[in-house]
Every structure is written in structure tokens, then in C-alpha cells.
Amino acid sequence: MSDESPNETMLREAIEFIQLYYHERGNEMKGKEEFISKEKRLDEIKRSIVTTGTYEHTFDELQHGARVAWRNAPKVRLLEWTSSPSLVINDLPLLSPIAPSVQIESIGQI
């Protein structure tokens, strides 16, 4: 069991996300009008969590978070392209509308 309070957990997770965000997007964002430094953004977040118990992501942070979630999510992987594509899937019902046109292999055959 963690000794962190909910606000401490939120702050720790926010710091981790902002560090990732600035690592991956910082150089690209520097030229934009709405850009603020990582240190200033972390101060805003800390202040908000202390005073309100929450904080709000910027639009770009939300976009980046969605990209990271998509990048890290389990997906259908193309194994090879031959005369008919072969897919490995984790959840057949999610793919069933397009399944008739492809050969599907089970996870156990990887």
C-alpha cells in the first residue's frame, strides 16, 4: 500500500507525464506562441493541485496523451504480406466487420 495521498499521486503522475511531453514535444513547441517552459508548466500544475485538488491539460497535452496511449496500446499487428495478409489479433469481436477479407491466425501461433 502506498503512503502517498491522492494529491501526491496525482502530482507524481502529472510530473511524469509533463516530463515525457516536453521530452517528446518540447523542441517542436518552442516556436509556438502558447509555449511555456517545462518549469513554469510544472509550477502551474503543482499550484492547481494544491489549491483545487486537480489540474487541466492543455489541448496539445491532451493530443499528445492520446498519441502516447495509442502508441502503447495493444494493436492488431501485421505479420507479413503475402497473397493474403495475415493478422494477429487479441480480440476477434473488435475486428469482425473486416475479418471476412483477411486470413486470421490465433495468438498461439506466433
Side-chain angles (χ1 to χ4, degrees):
M1 181 165 228
S2 175
D3 292 333
E4 288 181 327
S5 71
N7 282 359
E8 289 170 332
T9 301
M10 184 184 308
L11 180 58
R12 179 181 47 77
E13 291 174 353
I15 290 169
E16 289 172 8
F17 174 75
I18 293 299
Q19 287 174 335
L20 175 67
Y21 171 79
Y22 276 85
H23 175 75
E24 294 184 1
R25 300 272 297 152
N27 288 336
E28 181 181 340
M29 295 302 294
K30 279 183 184 173
K32 300 199 177 199
E33 186 176 315
E34 67 271 10
F35 177 79
I36 61 173
S37 71
K38 178 171 70 171
E39 293 75 22
K40 183 175 180 189
R41 182 64 180 129
L42 286 172
D43 286 343
E44 288 176 353
I45 291 169
K46 289 174 191 174
R47 201 170 28 257
S48 182
I49 291 173
V50 167
T51 58
T52 67
T54 190
Y55 75 101
E56 293 183 13
H57 289 283
T58 66
F59 180 77
D60 197 66
E61 289 167 357
L62 286 171
Q63 262 187 332
H64 186 68
R67 281 188 215 107
V68 170
W70 177 253
R71 179 177 71 205
N72 294 336
K75 297 177 207 55
V76 174
R77 296 181 322 197
L78 296 175
L79 290 181
E80 62 183 75
W81 284 100
T82 57
S83 58
S84 65
S86 179
L87 300 176
V88 174
I89 59 171
N90 291 326
D91 194 357
L92 181 59
L94 293 176
L95 201 62
S96 59
I98 64 167
S101 64
V102 295
Q103 173 188 350
I104 298 180
E105 297 180 2
S106 72
I107 292 293
Q109 295 176 331
I110 295 178

